[in-house]
Amino acid sequence: MHDIRLVGFDGDDTLWRSEDYYRAAEKQYEEIIGRYIDLHDAGTLRHLLEVERRNLQVFGYGVKGMTLSMIEAAIELTDGRIAARDLQQVVEIGRATLQHPVELIDGVREAVSAIAAELPVVLITKGDLFHQEAKIASSGLADLFPRIEIVSEKDPPTYARVLAEFGIDAAQFVMVGNSLRSDIEPVVRLGGWGVHVPYALTWAHEAEHGLAEAHPRVLSVESAAQLPPAVRGIVEAARNGG
């Protein structure tokens, strides 16, 4: 039997919208590449995803890594024919994406406030440090989180480190997020709990995971309003030896 002692929240596409801006950037990127090649035959976005994946260990996650990968992919797809002015446009796509407004998902402030009134909470978000700090500041949610963790990767070792710093076992932790790959699966593999709140758009890389459907330690909800009762349900299940 374990009492839940901490609830973690993801940031991008859990508390505020993010993937929408990446998709818009990809569309603009395709428009540029379409000046040089047949987009349908080239599989432009598939190629970009491959470049992004191979660069993750070097550039990390976030807009800056995406922009550098766009430049690399553009040069490859056009066999180096892409003009400097068009590469500059790719840089401007990245700059605009970094400066996008922070739009909260409906009901998240009320949901986090309700959960924080009952249990300690922590924000664990992944990506570029400067961009994540800017989004957190603009979100108006920083006051709800006594502690904020911005990490380069969300994997079992990262979550284990955070939990060790809090002095709790994984079985005493619940992670709330939109990504089964990054937010839920690593925590469950450590013995913790997850609340999955899907977002309408998901990056293909994040859609790949090894978590079985209907896992007993994972609840799925459709909206932020359902998060407080979902967490309460997990608290009860943990106390009953779930």
Side-chain angles (χ1 to χ4, degrees), residues 84-148:
R85 64 178 179 277
D86 287 329
L87 290 178
Q88 180 62 42
Q89 283 194 335
V90 174
V91 173
E92 291 304 321
I93 290 171
R95 191 192 312 276
T97 308
L98 282 168
Q99 296 173 333
H100 72 72
V102 176
E103 181 184 358
L104 294 183
I105 294 173
D106 291 345
V108 296
R109 184 173 183 87
E110 295 80 3
V112 176
S113 296
I115 294 169
E118 300 176 11
L119 291 163
V121 296
V122 58
L123 175 58
I124 307 175
T125 188
K126 177 179 69 177
D128 177 76
L129 177 63
F130 289 167
H131 194 203
Q132 290 296 322
E133 286 180 337
K135 286 193 282 190
I136 292 166
S138 297
S139 73
L141 299 176
D143 63 299
L144 298 177
F145 294 99
R147 179 163 167 179
I148 295 170

Side-chain angles (χ1 to χ4, degrees), residues 155-181:
D155 53 17
T158 299
Y159 285 107
R161 173 186 62 78
V162 173
L163 296 178
E165 291 174 1
F166 276 93
I168 65 173
D169 295 330
Q172 299 171 306
F173 177 62
V174 181
M175 184 66 189
V176 177
N178 71 294
S179 171
L180 288 169
R181 179 191 180 103

Side-chain angles (χ1 to χ4, degrees), residues 19 23 49 53 181 202-208:
E19 187 63 22
R23 294 295 176 89
L49 177 62
R53 280 176 167 159
R181 179 191 180 103
T202 302
W203 184 32
H205 179 73
E206 290 294 338
E208 299 172 356

Side-chain angles (χ1 to χ4, degrees), residues 55-67:
N55 285 334
L56 279 176
Q57 296 300 314
V58 180
F59 299 151
Y61 294 88
V63 176
K64 294 174 186 176
M66 176 196 72
T67 305

